[in-house]
Amino acid sequence: MKINIYKGSDLEGVRVAAQASAYVLQRLCDAVTPGMSTLDLDRLAAEFIKETGGKSAFLNYHGYPAQICCSVNDVVVHGIGRADKVINPGDIVSLDVGVSVGGFTGDNARSVVAGGVSTPLKDKLLEATRRSLEAGIAAAVPGNRVCDIGAAVEKVVKEAGFSVVRDMVGHGCGRKMHEDPQVPNYRLPGFSPELKPGMILAIEPMVNVGTWRITIDKEDGWTVRTADGSLSAHFEHQVLITQKEPEVLTCPNHQIA
Ligand code: CO
């Protein structure tokens, strides 16, 4: 395992890519409207990514065929935009955006409810997932280990009565989208690396209302669904470990346009 430590111009490069991905994610979340298809969102993403001067980090990654991931309701992650997948009022839309600029990559994700017609359960799911990410970020400090991040995420999710997806993890993210270490969203026993200033981690809880188990679509080989058809949410930030508080590189600062 080789964990990169970022500083100087490399760190500045990751900051730029992270801000680009945050900008695109914010624009997309604002654009989600019932009646649009998930392919419409993917096309919009292409425009917003172009504005940043970067490229989609996902397109062609291991053959992934779209600009972003757009995952609706029981789709956990890796939903591919489709013309025949129309967004309905009250749908949970999970958008995951990775942008590469100047040799560095930003990665972030957020779930929103379309059309402002949520339910108490959906509000609770999104809130718990967001708070679990915040708890994971708060645990991302020197002196802790990577496994402490997952433990913090899992605690919030369990207390809310939901379950954390176990088969998919967060990751180091900087020069490449997926770098060491893996960042599980639950307490994994065994060796876990110490957190050090300069590490950059994408922390990304995927939270299901029902079982943590998932299935992968046999036709497209990508779409990840909850095994029981229950709703799922996904929030992701890319964070820099510092001497003190972690710095959220994908906070929307609107510095791009
Ligand atoms: Co990620």
Side-chain angles (χ1 to χ4, degrees), residues 14-247:
V14 184
R15 281 186 207 283
V16 169
Q19 277 299 302
S21 66
Y23 167 78
V24 174
L25 179 60
Q26 182 64 52
R27 292 290 305 270
L28 283 173
C29 286
D30 293 344
V32 170
T33 311
M36 290 173 97
S37 72
T38 56
L39 182 62
D40 292 333
L41 281 167
D42 199 79
R43 294 210 168 119
L44 258 185
E47 287 177 29
F48 297 150
I49 291 170
K50 207 166 167 204
E51 285 178 35
T52 70
K55 283 195 152 89
S56 165
F58 299 173
L59 183 65
N60 298 325
Y61 183 85
H62 293 278
Y64 185 73
Q67 301 279 338
I68 59 164
C69 302
C70 184
S71 308
V72 179
N73 292 334
D74 65 318
V75 178
V76 179
V77 286
H78 300 172
I80 298 163
R82 294 165 54 134
D84 62 356
K85 179 65 193 169
V86 173
I87 293 164
N88 291 310
D91 278 352
I92 295 178
V93 181
S94 299
L95 296 162
D96 191 343
V97 173
V99 177
S100 296
V101 198
F104 298 95
T105 296
D107 189 6
N108 62 169
R110 193 183 308 158
S111 297
V112 296
V113 176
V117 282
S118 194
T119 64
L121 177 66
K122 288 172 189 174
D123 284 345
K124 189 179 173 206
L125 175 64
L126 266 55
E127 205 42 43
T129 311
R130 187 204 321 278
R131 279 194 295 108
S132 76
L133 173 56
E134 275 167 13
I137 292 170
V141 290
N144 272 352
R145 294 179 183 273
V146 171
C147 63
D148 295 310
I149 297 173
V153 168
E154 187 180 29
K155 181 167 183 286
V156 171
V157 174
K158 273 195 172 159
E159 281 170 7
F162 300 132
S163 63
V164 148
V165 172
R166 301 172 76 89
D167 303 334
M168 314 196 50
V169 295
H171 49 95
C173 185
R175 198 165 269 291
K176 290 197 285 170
M177 178 163 67
H178 289 154
E179 299 183 345
D180 287 334
Q182 294 199 348
V183 184
N185 293 301
Y186 58 98
R187 161 89 59 192
L188 192 63
F191 170 78
S192 180
E194 255 179 67
L195 296 168
K196 300 254 168 66
M199 290 182 180
I200 296 179
L201 304 177
I203 305 174
E204 49 177 319
M206 290 146 264
V207 175
N208 301 346
V209 166
T211 178
W212 57 269
R213 289 181 191 279
I214 55 169
T215 62
I216 298 177
D217 191 285
K218 286 201 184 68
E219 314 247 289
D220 68 25
W222 283 100
T223 310
V224 175
R225 292 189 181 82
T226 57
D228 59 3
S230 67
L231 295 169
S232 189
H234 180 209
F235 282 73
E236 174 177 30
H237 270 309
Q238 185 177 10
V239 305
L240 170 72
I241 312 301
T242 77
Q243 307 277 8
K244 300 181 196 149
E245 313 267 273
E247 183 184 324

